[in-house]
Amino acid sequence: MTQRSLGTLRVSDIGLGCMTFAGNYNVPVPKAHAIKTIRTAYENGVTFFDTAEVYGPYISEEFVGEALAPFRDKVQIATKFGFKIDGTIGLDSRPEHIRKVVDESLKRLRTDHIDLYYQHRVDPSVPIEDVAGTLKDLIQQGKVLHFGLSEASAKTIRRAHAEQAVSAVQSEYSLWTRNVELNGVLATCTELGIGFVPWSPVGAGFLTGTIDPTTTFDQKSDFRAGFPRFSREFLKLNMPLIEWLKVYAAKKGATPSQIALAWLLAKGPNIVPIPGTRSEDHLLENLGARRLHLSAVDVREIDTMLGKFPVFGDRMGEAHMSQIDYTV
């Protein structure tokens, strides 16, 4: 697998998102299953693994730490801080809180350093300069190697970067979530030499082509049950996009998810998608996107077609959207 740069951090060009092992889109998987899938990813060239303390909470970090312990020096681990984890989805990026939870994450991850430490959501009650300054201290101590932001606006990225170099910005980005193309985030990352990490690059499963208007999502264990665009009303209206994608993928001898990932890889050399999956088969399918080459002409054709399919419904529920640092 070829590598790409997130700032000065070198990682595999496709990473593995490890949230789904701990639930959120379903019930958690058994630890042995998660460890086997994570190690299969490593055996197939993945060196970049993304987790967060809030996934589970804590379960995903524990799985990742145990799975990667035998080859820790050959992989890059990204995790995140910034939620209270008190039964709410409240935010807490106070410097004293960051200094506390970084040690807890290090212990769960069975490591003495975190390769990339993201602020999971921008905390409006804490100046971003204070957050960046705290990360600068952690980097000087060797506990963290690189600083990242998640779902941050272009303005916030610039302010943070002026205090401590930001290596990567993570936001949702896919064929049906293209906000970062419009709000200046992608352009700002390119300008400042910051890597960009799309989460949910296959649209939380929608771009796999396996979801249709009859699909139901468990209210207790699946976030998508509360995401407007996954409602029965809006799924029906969003189907023309996936029907076109299926036809286009077949023409290219690929699956819909492989086209979705190859499109992101073709969007810029600083882009590293992190598809998540609980299935080894889907993992290997996603990694097959590396073998596809979408030319500039292909990308323009896809972008032109995307303009013909408006997307209906917000990408997340109201509570989650309220924590986004931008609304475009």
Side-chain angles (χ1 to χ4, degrees), residues 1-12:
M1 183 178 282
T2 58
Q3 291 195 321
R4 292 190 169 196
S5 294
L6 301 175
T8 58
L9 176 64
R10 296 286 288 172
V11 300
S12 54

Side-chain angles (χ1 to χ4, degrees), residues 73-242:
D73 61 340
K74 297 180 181 178
V75 298
Q76 299 80 44
I77 297 175
T79 192
K80 310 177 194 75
F81 65 88
F83 281 104
K84 289 183 177 179
I85 315 187
D86 60 356
T88 72
I89 58 170
L91 302 177
D92 189 350
S93 282
R94 292 172 299 148
E96 60 269 29
H97 181 74
I98 299 172
R99 295 190 188 101
K100 173 181 178 289
V101 298
V102 69
D103 289 333
E104 295 169 356
S105 286
L106 286 168
K107 184 176 181 179
R108 286 189 291 269
L109 291 167
R110 305 188 182 194
T111 185
D112 62 358
H113 69 279
I114 294 166
D115 297 281
L116 176 59
Y117 203 30
Y118 290 103
Q119 182 188 37
H120 208 152
R121 291 290 185 271
V122 175
D123 185 343
S125 68
V126 180
I128 196 63
E129 289 82 3
D130 291 353
V131 175
T134 305
L135 267 291
K136 179 183 290 187
D137 291 342
L138 295 178
I139 289 170
Q140 290 172 347
Q141 294 169 28
K143 293 182 179 181
V144 172
L145 302 188
H146 298 268
F147 171 36
L149 296 170
S150 180
E151 294 290 348
S153 66
K155 181 179 179 180
T156 298
I157 294 166
R158 291 183 184 278
R159 287 173 54 195
H161 192 68
E163 177 70 24
Q164 166 60 43
V166 176
S167 292
V169 170
Q170 181 181 117
S171 293
E172 186 172 3
Y173 183 35
S174 71
L175 289 171
W176 78 330
T177 303
R178 300 171 65 189
N179 312 61
V180 294
E181 294 182 356
L182 305 174
N183 59 26
V185 167
L186 271 184
T188 298
C189 288
T190 300
E191 176 194 338
L192 299 178
I194 297 171
F196 187 82
V197 178
W199 65 266
S200 202
V202 292
F206 180 73
L207 299 174
T208 64
T210 59
I211 292 173
D212 63 37
T214 67
T215 303
T216 58
F217 305 97
D218 187 87
Q219 294 284 341
K220 293 184 178 179
S221 62
D222 196 325
F223 277 177
R224 292 171 296 185
F227 291 0
R229 66 177 54 173
F230 282 98
S231 67
R232 185 156 297 187
E233 173 191 1
F234 288 137
L235 268 180
K236 178 174 61 177
L237 298 175
N238 286 320
M239 288 310 296
L241 168 59
I242 197 65

